[in-house]
C-alpha cells in the first residue's frame, strides 16, 4: 500500500469515527444505522463494510482510537512538564490540563467513553478497559515516581489514586461542559489543580 493510499484510507476511517461518535452520542448505539454513519461521513455504505465488519466493530475502534489519543495527549503533557522541571504535582496538573483540553475538543467521545465504562455486557468492554488502562498508566507513572522521590505520601494507593484522578478529570470536564459551559477552561483547571495540591502531597490527610 502506497503512502497516498494509506493516508486516504486513514482519512476515510477518521471521517467514519467522527460520524459514528456524533450520531451515537445523539441517538444511541441501537438507533444509529450504518447507512446514517456513511451518509454523515460522506461515503458509500459499502465503504463502512470495506473498513469494518459492521457497526459494532466500528464503534469499538472509535473507542479504542479516541481513548488512545487521549492517553497520548496525557503522556505528551507529562513529558513536557518533566522537561520544564515540574514536580510530581505539577506534572499531574499538566496532565489534568491536557485532559480538559482534549475533552473540550471531543465532548461527544468523552460522554460515550464514560457511559460505556459502566455497560459491562457490551462486546467491546474488554477493549474499552484496555484503552482506559493506557490513560491511567500515565498517571500511575507520575504517582510512583512521586512516592519514590519523597514528594508524595508513601502510603498512597497508586492504582486507586490514578484511577480516581483520571475519573476526576473526565467527570469534572463533563460537569463543566454540561452545566457550566460559560466557565473558562482555566477556571476548571485551577479547581482541579487545587484538589491535587491539597490531597496528594506528602503528609496530607
Amino acid at each position: 500500500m502506497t503512502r497516498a493510499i494509506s493516508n486516504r484510507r486513514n482519512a476515510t476511517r477518521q471521517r467514519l469515527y467522527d460520524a459514528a461518535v456524533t450520531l451515537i452520542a445523539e441517538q444511541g448505539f441501537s438507533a444509529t444505522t450504518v447507512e446514517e454513519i456513511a451518509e454523515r461521513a460522506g461515503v458509500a455504505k459499502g465503504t463502512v463494510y470495506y473498513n469494518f465488519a459492521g457497526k459494532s466493530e466500528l464503534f469499538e475502534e472509535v473507542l479504542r482510537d479516541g481513548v488512545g489519543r487521549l492517553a497520548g495527549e496525557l503522556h505528551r503533557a507529562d513529558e513536557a512538564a518533566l522537561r520544564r522541571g515540574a514536580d510530581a504535582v505539577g506534572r499531574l496538573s499538566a496532565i489534568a490540563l491536557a485532559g480538559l483540553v482534549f475533552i473540550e475538543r471531543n465532548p461527544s467521545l468523552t460522554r460515550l467513553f464514560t457511559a460505556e465504562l459502566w455497560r459491562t455486557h457490551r462486546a467491546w468492554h474488554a477493549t474499552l478497559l484496555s484503552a482506559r488502562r493506557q490513560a491511567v498508566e500515565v498517571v500511575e507513572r507520575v504517582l510512583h515516581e512521586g512516592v519514590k522521590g519523597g514528594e508524595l505520601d508513601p502510603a498512597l494507593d497508586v492504582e486507586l489514586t490514578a484511577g480516581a484522578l483520571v475519573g476526576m478529570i473526565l467527570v469534572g470536564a463533563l460537569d463543566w461542559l454540561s452545566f457550566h459551559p460559560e466557565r473558562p477552561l482555566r477556571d476548571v483547571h485551577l479547581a482541579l489543580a487545587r484538589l491535587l495540591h491539597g490531597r496528594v502531597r506528602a503528609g496530607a490527610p
Side-chain angles (χ1 to χ4, degrees):
M1 183 183 296
T2 67
R3 178 174 295 181
I5 293 174
S6 177
N7 288 342
R8 283 200 298 273
R9 184 175 184 187
N10 289 339
T12 298
R13 290 171 73 92
Q14 189 59 57
R15 289 203 301 275
L16 290 171
Y17 290 164
D18 293 342
V21 165
T22 301
L23 287 167
I24 293 171
E26 291 173 353
Q27 305 174 170
F29 178 80
S30 298
T32 300
T33 66
V34 170
E35 289 84 354
E36 289 174 315
I37 293 171
E39 182 179 358
R40 180 69 65 95
V43 302
K45 178 181 175 181
T47 301
V48 179
Y49 289 108
Y50 176 76
N51 286 275
F52 306 98
K55 186 174 65 171
S56 291
E57 182 180 299
L58 168 57
F59 188 47
E60 185 172 353
E61 287 300 314
V62 164
L63 294 171
R64 190 201 312 271
D65 173 76
V67 183
R69 287 190 290 115
L70 170 60
E73 291 297 323
L74 302 185
H75 176 72
R76 283 186 285 275
D78 179 41
E79 292 294 310
L82 266 176
R83 288 193 296 271
R84 294 193 301 269
D87 63 7
V89 174
R91 292 166 64 187
L92 293 173
S93 179
I95 287 171
L97 177 58
L100 292 173
V101 170
F102 181 90
I103 293 166
E104 183 182 34
R105 293 173 180 168
N106 302 274
S108 295
L109 172 65
T110 308
R111 289 188 180 95
L112 288 177
F113 165 64
T114 305
E116 290 300 321
L117 276 175
W118 299 99
R119 294 171 178 158
T120 57
H121 64 287
R122 299 287 205 184
W124 49 77
H125 190 65
T127 296
L128 191 58
L129 290 180
S130 177
R132 169 193 172 275
R133 185 71 193 150
Q134 295 178 52
V136 173
E137 282 177 349
V138 178
V139 179
E140 281 187 356
R141 185 182 71 171
V142 178
L143 295 176
H144 275 301
E145 292 175 4
V147 170
K148 185 178 180 180
E151 299 176 65
L152 303 181
D153 190 337
L156 200 68
D157 186 317
V158 169
E159 183 177 1
L160 285 177
T161 302
L165 291 177
V166 171
M168 178 182 77
I169 295 168
L170 290 172
V171 176
L174 289 178
D175 183 88
W176 160 46
L177 295 173
S178 298
F179 303 113
H180 308 285
E182 76 286 353
R183 301 288 296 273
L185 184 148
R186 65 176 180 274
D187 285 358
V188 183
H189 177 240
L190 179 60
L192 297 187
R194 283 175 172 161
L195 287 175
L196 289 170
H197 280 84
R199 294 293 181 266
V200 298
R201 281 198 181 278

